[in-house]
Amino acid sequence: MFLSRVRLNPARAGARKFLLSPRAMHGAVTAAFVDGVPEPGGGGPRVLWRLDHNSRNEVYCYIVSPDRPDLTHVVEQAGWPTTQTWETRDYTPLLSRLEAGQTWAFRLTANPVHSIRRKDGEPTKVTAHRTPKHQLSWLLQRQEANGFEIVAKPQDRQRGPDDEYEVIVHDRRARRFGKVEPTGKQNRVPLVTATFDGRLKVTDPEALRRMLTTGLGRAKAYGCGLMTLAPAD
């Protein structure tokens, strides 16, 4: 597995296209692999990506992938081709040293959704969570199955009933972007995302490794589901 990072230049038209359309960014990421990307499903590692908006002018695309990418076209279209390239590191050493009880800082951009039924007898409909409280609840419901638990704050550091965990929900976005169906019909795809920054404790290293390489939640093709770890300090 590999972890890659490329910085985008928001002043360039190519970067603005990628930032406005997750579908366009997905196409650019897919084109980075000479043999294409693995088909979703089967439970194996897949290509995941995420855009980090650290500031107005500092935007990075992170990619986790089974194969090493070639991001020349992304740099040429949307980066600084004469001064900066991209970084790719072997992700395996980090994955292999995960152990139960360790604490890590994490970042995750996800598409928190749930299925609801408005009336008896109607089929369920996938609907996005739109408040920070419900988006965090979505993440907490998935922590045990994915080998981690969000670190709880000591009571003397809690500022209210919704400040129980060492995590913040930010960069919440709701957008629509164009998608052309195989039939040629054009649709507008709605996408609600939220970014989580916090600290977690490893409870099941194998389950966590699996999630880090297969993603968490829906809309993985559109920049959701990639969690990255960093030293908790």
Side-chain angles (χ1 to χ4, degrees):
M1 295 297 297
F2 296 92
L3 174 65
S4 304
R5 184 179 78 163
V6 58
R7 186 173 179 179
L8 305 184
N9 180 355
R12 303 193 65 185
R16 293 195 296 271
K17 176 182 177 181
F18 293 156
L19 297 176
L20 290 173
S21 173
R23 181 173 175 269
M25 190 72 242
H26 169 68
V29 170
T30 300
F33 301 93
V34 64
D35 294 322
V37 300
E39 290 294 326
R46 59 176 294 165
V47 174
L48 303 166
W49 62 273
R50 185 185 76 220
L51 289 176
D52 280 9
H53 300 258
N54 297 331
S55 69
R56 182 177 179 180
N57 295 315
E58 185 180 333
V59 182
Y60 286 93
C61 179
Y62 285 84
I63 302 170
V64 164
S65 56
D67 300 314
R68 182 182 291 272
D70 183 341
L71 296 165
T72 302
H73 60 296
V74 176
V75 176
E76 290 177 345
Q77 295 175 43
W80 284 267
T82 63
T83 59
Q84 288 196 8
T85 180
W86 69 92
E87 304 170 69
T88 295
R89 296 181 180 180
D90 186 355
Y91 202 32
T92 304
L94 184 145
L95 296 173
S96 63
R97 73 171 187 260
L98 293 176
E99 296 181 1
Q102 292 175 336
T103 300
W104 294 85
F106 75 90
R107 173 170 287 183
L108 165 72
T109 294
N111 171 226
V113 298
H114 62 137
S115 296
I116 62 173
R117 180 178 286 110
R118 299 186 184 277
K119 295 181 180 179
D120 291 342
E122 286 188 351
T124 58
K125 180 180 180 181
V126 176
T127 304
H129 288 301
R130 294 183 177 272
T131 67
K133 178 179 178 179
H134 289 102
Q135 290 169 341
L136 177 56
S137 178
W138 174 91
L139 179 60
L140 294 174
Q141 291 167 8
R142 285 155 180 78
Q143 56 182 351
E144 181 178 356
N146 289 284
F148 67 94
E149 61 180 27
I150 307 299
V151 175
K153 286 184 177 181
Q155 286 192 342
D156 60 357
R157 289 180 51 207
Q158 297 179 21
R159 294 175 293 179
D162 296 328
D163 190 37
E164 184 180 353
Y165 298 96
E166 293 197 11
V167 60
I168 61 171
V169 185
H170 65 104
D171 200 19
R172 298 164 50 243
R173 297 169 181 255
R175 72 190 81 176
R176 289 180 177 269
F177 58 94
K179 178 182 179 182
V180 180
E181 302 292 344
T183 61
K185 181 181 177 181
Q186 290 198 10
N187 284 330
R188 298 291 291 174
V189 179
L191 181 66
V192 174
T193 62
T195 297
F196 304 87
D197 279 341
R199 298 173 71 226
L200 61 77
K201 180 179 291 186
V202 181
T203 57
D204 183 339
E206 188 56 38
L208 181 57
R209 275 190 285 268
R210 183 169 58 250
M211 184 272 288
L212 292 173
T213 57
T214 60
L216 181 62
R218 300 167 65 98
K220 298 181 182 71
Y222 298 134
C224 297
L226 171 57
M227 177 186 284
T228 51
L229 304 179
D233 293 342

